[in-house]
Amino acid sequence: MAEAQQGAQDLTEVDTMTPEDLPGSSSLTTKELQQNWRAVKQRERPVRLLFEIPSTRIVEHMLHKYVLYQVVVMRSGSFDSRRVSVERRYSDFSRFHHKLLEEFDEELEEVQLPRKMLSGNFSPESIGERRLALQDYLAKLYATRCVRHSPCFSAFFTEQEQQRAHGLLRAGQFRPAAELLQTVLDIQEKLLPWQKPTLLVPALAALAVCYRDLDEPERAFSAAQRALPPVRRYGLTRYRAPLLELLVDLGYQLGRPVAQLQDELTALRDAERGEASSHSLKEVVIQEFL
């Protein structure tokens, strides 16, 4: 409970400010002060994650029947124009909960996973109650500071899609792989304020590979370019030389300035005695999520 209260406090600090706290407020009229204050509040409105489960669908596969819940992830505090969603079964929620309990048993003492329904109970009323209960469950997890910062939290919303996308990529189905990876990236960007800055690197690298093979060099260059700064800063050595190689090749193709990238790649190769460039980015990406 203390974790949840602390999380709420962290996200509402901006609300403790007053108009008089604005720089230069003493020289403004009351109307100007109010206008500036509204602008500051709009810019600094605390960003929170919101979870909605607006719909469900029943799936019958062979002798099995189960419910899929559509989980929508949104960010408040700023205009979020892209509603992105994934589908999860109750068993996915259950595995997720048990993983969290292994790490945060005491912190989750008051956060309960909704009970499993009786076998064969697929009435609209029961599914509707479960849908709302799971939605509330996600909100409570997010309110627990240690949970929303945990890698398990982001993995619940993206890992299945990343695995499917990499399977498609390995099969040469680059278009559907890129579409799935974009969903992963959209969700990860919403989660990023509470996760490690390296969270986006695998998806961006895989997107760069997909767009390169789809002959979309601009999009491939953009994805690789976004992945490079966290790779440099946090020492993800397996990605650095392959990303630089891809950027140099695409840069020449697009007529971009690549001299600095080429110098960085050369220095890296010299420092690693050739080992840094032993694998292409595609080879590195293919090894992920095996």
Side-chain angles (χ1 to χ4, degrees):
M1 181 63 69
E3 288 279 3
Q5 291 172 343
Q6 181 63 47
Q9 180 179 349
D10 292 342
L11 292 170
T12 55
E13 288 176 354
V14 69
D15 293 334
T16 64
M17 295 176 61
T18 65
E20 288 74 17
D21 294 326
L22 296 175
S25 61
S26 60
S27 62
L28 298 176
T29 66
T30 301
K31 184 177 181 179
E32 290 172 332
L33 192 62
Q34 290 173 343
Q35 289 175 340
N36 283 5
W37 174 239
R38 282 195 294 269
V40 168
K41 291 286 282 184
Q42 182 68 27
R43 287 196 308 271
E44 299 186 1
R45 186 178 301 166
V47 175
R48 306 181 188 185
L49 279 181
L50 302 175
F51 304 97
E52 181 182 347
I53 303 182
S55 64
T56 61
R57 63 187 181 97
I58 297 174
V59 176
E60 296 189 51
H61 179 68
M62 304 293 287
L63 300 177
H64 298 287
K65 187 176 181 181
Y66 56 88
V67 179
L68 277 174
Y69 299 86
Q70 182 195 24
V71 182
V72 177
V73 184
M74 299 169 287
R75 283 175 65 172
S76 70
S78 59
F79 182 67
D80 192 349
S81 61
R82 185 170 176 84
R83 289 169 58 92
V84 59
S85 66
V86 294
E87 288 186 318
R88 295 291 181 265
R89 298 174 59 174
Y90 178 82
S91 58
D92 297 321
F93 282 92
S94 181
R95 281 191 295 270
F96 174 43
H97 188 70
H98 283 90
K99 283 184 180 179
L100 290 175
L101 288 178
E102 291 175 3
E103 191 173 355
F104 307 114
D105 188 27
E106 292 184 7
E107 293 85 350
L108 294 177
E109 187 175 357
E110 298 183 22
V111 180
Q112 300 295 322
L113 178 70
R115 293 181 180 180
K116 187 174 182 179
M117 292 189 298
L118 294 175
S119 179
N121 189 351
F122 293 96
S123 70
E125 294 79 11
S126 296
I127 293 174
E129 289 178 7
R130 167 64 58 79
R131 177 179 63 81
L132 294 176
L134 289 173
Q135 184 173 290
D136 184 55
Y137 167 74
L138 289 175
K140 289 178 179 177
L141 286 181
Y142 171 73
T144 307
R145 183 183 178 89
C146 59
V147 172
R148 68 173 177 267
H149 286 272
S150 169
C152 287
F153 192 70
S154 61
F156 173 73
F157 297 99
T158 60
E159 191 170 61
Q160 290 186 30
E161 285 68 28
Q162 283 184 312
Q163 289 174 342
R164 291 205 300 271
H166 279 73
L168 290 166
L169 190 155
R170 286 189 285 271
Q173 299 182 46
F174 300 111
R175 182 64 66 190
E179 292 172 356
L180 262 180
L181 287 165
Q182 188 60 56
T183 296
V184 169
L185 188 63
D186 288 341
I187 293 177
Q188 288 178 335
E189 286 174 334
K190 297 175 192 296
L191 296 168
L192 193 58
W194 304 276
Q195 296 287 320
K196 292 182 178 179
T198 55
L199 177 67
L200 307 183
V201 170
L204 286 169
L207 276 169
V209 169
C210 287
Y211 290 136
R212 172 71 178 271
D213 280 51
L214 289 168
D215 197 23
E216 298 183 30
E218 286 280 1
R219 299 180 79 176
F221 189 90
S222 176
Q225 195 174 39
R226 284 189 62 193
L228 187 58
V231 164
R232 285 173 175 149
R233 183 173 181 181
Y234 296 96
L236 301 185
T237 55
R238 73 184 184 278
Y239 282 106
R240 189 172 176 186
L243 277 170
L244 287 167
E245 280 191 322
L246 184 70
L247 285 167
V248 169
D249 289 345
L250 291 171
Y252 280 123
Q253 182 181 344
L254 296 168
R256 303 283 183 87
V258 296
Q260 290 184 339
L261 294 171
Q262 183 67 69
D263 289 345
E264 182 180 347
L265 179 58
T266 300
L268 193 59
R269 283 172 172 164
D270 291 343
E272 299 292 335
R273 298 179 181 178
E275 294 179 5
S277 57
S278 59
H279 297 289
S280 69
L281 185 61
K282 188 172 185 177
E283 290 171 329
V284 171
V285 165
I286 284 174
Q287 295 303 312
E288 295 279 1
F289 301 100
L290 283 175

